Amino acid sequence: MNNSLDAIKMQMRANKGAQVTLRMRLGRRGGTEMGGILDGLYPEVFTVLVREHGYRRRYCFSYAEVLTHHVEIDPCPESLLSAHPET
């Protein structure tokens, strides 16, 4: 995993607009995993657009949350995208 904020920002820029898997840690309650689109990149934060249950929702995270492993963002393989297209 990346060990600097600059490296994380560069990786995010390379995946902007791509389908990603988002994993969030929620403390003792465990965590959650969902798919979304890496939507907006800003100097201090980034957003992920998630569609679930017929609604669109934007989650906003700081790059420091990725650095501390509270949030993990992984690009989805192309084979999974063709098997489950977005509607």
Side-chain angles (χ1 to χ4, degrees):
M1 190 63 188
N2 296 314
N3 57 3
S4 76
L5 291 176
D6 291 331
I8 291 169
K9 289 179 183 182
M10 285 176 44
Q11 182 183 14
M12 294 292 180
R13 271 189 236 123
N15 291 313
K16 184 173 192 253
Q19 187 79 21
V20 295
T21 301
L22 171 67
R23 281 187 288 285
M24 298 178 284
R25 289 195 181 170
L26 301 173
R28 292 190 307 185
R29 295 186 331 189
T32 184
E33 182 175 324
M34 59 189 76
I37 297 171
L38 188 55
D39 188 35
L41 300 175
Y42 304 98
E44 300 298 322
V45 297
F46 62 94
T47 60
V48 178
L49 179 65
V50 175
R51 292 188 178 130
E52 57 185 358
H53 307 295
Y55 294 100
R56 293 185 323 177
R57 181 173 180 172
R58 268 192 187 85
Y59 289 92
C60 181
F61 303 101
S62 70
Y63 298 105
E65 289 177 296
V66 176
L67 183 64
T68 59
H69 304 287
H70 289 128
V71 174
E72 295 180 16
I73 303 284
D74 294 319
C76 287
E78 293 298 321
S79 60
L80 289 177
L81 291 177
S82 60
H84 303 287
E86 285 275 331
T87 55

